[in-house]
Amino acid sequence: DEDGTFEDIKHPGDSSSTLTVPKFWSAPIHSNKLMTREQAMSIGSCITPDPKTGNIARGDQCPIAERTIFVAIASYRDWQCRYTVESIFTRAKHPERVRVAVVDQIAVEEGDFQCEVAIKPCKEDPEQALCKYKGQIDVFRMDAIQAVGPVFARHIGHRLYRGEYYAMQSDAHVTFTQDWDMDIIQQQEATGDEMAVQSTYLTDIVGSIDERTGRSLRRTRPIMCNTDYEGGPQGKHLRHLSQPERVPSIKGSPQLEPYWAAGFSFSRGHFVVNVPYDQYQPMIFQGEEMSIGIRGFTIGYDFFATERSICFHHYANGVNKAKRGKVKTFWEHANKYKGTGKKAMQRLLGIVRMNPEVDVKEWDHTEEDRYGLGGVRTPEKFYRTFGIDVIHKKTEHHLCKFVQPGQMHKEFMKHLRWDGMGINYNEITYQFKDPGFDDT
């Protein structure tokens, strides 16, 4: 509903067609150097404006209960999307501060459910969140045949951000816990790190939430520390593997981890301003997490595993296999965009300097100033620290031995800057080497 805030872009998988999409709310503000705390606090809206200035960007002076939350969801022909949105609002302690933005890739002519349409008619049940909070739900609808994977869908999702205090990313088939908004914000603030990004692979929904109270039944949570190279038609790249789920080793705060996950992410709003999904990476599925994670690292962001899970994932296995197994994927149109994924992967790897054997002239550098690296840390620092050999395409195994018990957290958090603007990796000389076993 915003006049004059749209622009035409070329479809990343088909340059002969265009799409009309929302303009970005802001260009990145990091200027290839560490943001000041003042810059960081300039982003983030508060429900109640400052009584003296009338400004809604009040920084940390905004009461926690009034800090707004932007939730981005990319959905592909997923009947469960509207249940996810319903869960977000009905389980929030302060639903009035939540805004959900959905990129809904559907085939209406084939009977796909629209994510913003209530489960029951609103006349029949007006208390449904999809009725009650309709004005806080924005949907960008795409024909399913235009879909070229999660990277581009989430790119459009980042274009829907409008200055909220916090930004969250979730899959379209997730159920939230009661009062999730207060819980995740309390965890975020407990890090003491303005550059903290909580992110993880979510635990399966089965046996995870008390249906009567909406509270979590889990004491464990996953942590991101297990990755390795894999090959394929798009070339060798890093892929996250299954992650360990344990009772947290660090108490009273989220726990530092090296990697970022796409299925769940929670941060200050400036994260999506500074690290927007790349517009020029069609048909990418594996690799997106390393792209965002390493770019974020170079801009100064630190990744944390939540101490307590605030939502759970509906995986296509067990009791949910039949229902989830019927959901189609964007690969059904792979032939239409054949060849674009390989070029996109070259760009993805080139930007994060993971393919030094490839001449930089061979990959697309379009808008690299927006979708590229920062100047706070180098990707080479990341690779050295966490045992990644981009020349020989191999990793030092058993990194979880360093991460899961809390050693990484205890050692690296000593170097958190005095003003909370991220960990100073210039003071860190640690380089992980495979201990040969993992008994965590």
Side-chain angles (χ1 to χ4, degrees), residues 43 102 219 222 238 401-402 436:
I43 289 183
V102 181
R219 293 179 59 247
L238 282 175
K401 177 69 175 177
F402 173 60

Side-chain angles (χ1 to χ4, degrees), residues 132-151:
K132 194 173 181 179
Y133 302 104
K134 186 176 182 179
Q136 294 165 233
I137 304 168
D138 289 312
V139 176
F140 182 92
R141 188 174 299 126
M142 289 176 59
D143 290 335
I145 199 169
Q146 294 179 310
V148 284
V151 174

